[in-house]
Amino acid sequence: MSQNIIIIGGGIIGLSCAYELRMRGFDVTVLEARRCGGQASGAAAGMLAPFSENTEGPDAFFRLCQFSLLLYPEWQEQIRSISGVHFEYANTGSLHIAYHAADLLSLEGRRLWQRQYGSSGEIVSGAELFRMEPALSRDVLAALYTPE
Ligand SMILES: Cc1cc2nc3c(=O)[nH]c(=O)nc-3n(C[C@H](O)[C@H](O)[C@H](O)COP(=O)(O)OP(=O)(O)OC[C@H]3O[C@@H](n4cnc5c(N)ncnc54)[C@H](O)[C@@H]3O)c2cc1C
């Protein structure tokens, strides 16, 4: 059976697949129409924030993202040491903010169910919140800070 694999598209998904396949001994060719990393992958803000960017419950997509996040530190370190490219990975945590009193209950709900998935999140507000993120709008009432 042929060990040659062609991947169409040199974004983060195509290049990650190419890397993993190459590490498993396959010959890989990546076909990129423009520039590797030049489309969505180059536009992304780079946030890996499943505790913030998800629905109001632990659905399958949340669990996939959270599991992927756990693998990321080791994986990015591997890529960094092989490529010599430092792509500024930083584990800074996330702030999921609430502007209205009505949203505070849902913030607390998030905090509770996310605890079961490895979050040590806490609700922060007032001076403590603005010390954490000085550029935050003063209209923000509170935030769920998730260090993970
Ligand atoms: C503005 C913005 C902000 C984002 N922020 C985040 C974020 O903070 N966190 C996060 O996790 N995700 C974020 N995303 C989503 C993330 O960028 C994408 O999920 C991810 O980059 C998709 O990677 P990809 O390799 O599938 O696509 P792409 O990076 O788009 O790569 C696809 C490649 O395929 C090439 N191609 C297409 N058709 C062909 C063809 N026929 N032949 C050859 N080559 C072809 C394209 O030129 C392109 O280079 C953001 C996306 C955008 C647009």
Side-chain angles (χ1 to χ4, degrees):
M1 200 170 79
S2 169
Q3 297 285 292
N4 297 308
I5 298 193
I6 293 174
I7 292 177
I8 300 174
I12 193 166
I13 300 297
L15 294 178
S16 301
C17 291
Y19 169 77
E20 293 294 337
L21 287 162
R22 192 75 196 95
M23 296 308 273
R24 287 162 175 75
F26 292 90
D27 287 330
V28 183
T29 303
V30 176
L31 301 178
E32 168 53 54
R34 297 183 182 91
R35 184 169 62 85
C36 284
Q39 297 299 306
S41 300
M47 293 187 300
L48 305 170
F51 291 106
S52 203
E53 295 183 327
N54 57 53
T55 56
E56 290 300 322
D59 60 8
F61 185 61
F62 165 78
R63 293 196 302 276
L64 172 71
C65 293
Q66 197 234 348
F67 181 63
S68 301
L69 182 63
L70 294 175
L71 301 175
Y72 207 77
E74 190 186 328
W75 188 79
Q76 68 86 29
E77 184 52 43
Q78 211 181 92
I79 301 295
R80 199 179 65 80
S81 72
I82 285 179
S83 67
V85 176
H86 175 41
F87 49 91
E88 300 173 5
Y89 171 70
N91 192 348
T92 58
S94 62
L95 287 171
H96 189 86
I97 59 174
Y99 281 98
H100 305 290
D103 296 327
L104 295 179
L105 190 60
S106 109
L107 215 56
E108 177 61 10
R110 264 174 186 270
R111 188 185 76 79
L112 290 176
W113 72 255
Q114 291 184 353
R115 292 220 143 221
Q116 297 165 36
Y117 292 88
S119 162
S120 60
E122 285 173 30
I123 309 277
V124 286
S125 59
E128 189 189 0
L129 175 59
F130 298 122
R131 187 178 43 75
M132 289 173 95
E133 181 44 78
L136 209 56
S137 162
R138 284 341 186 226
D139 292 337
V140 172
L141 281 188
L144 174 58
Y145 168 58
T146 308
E148 294 79 17

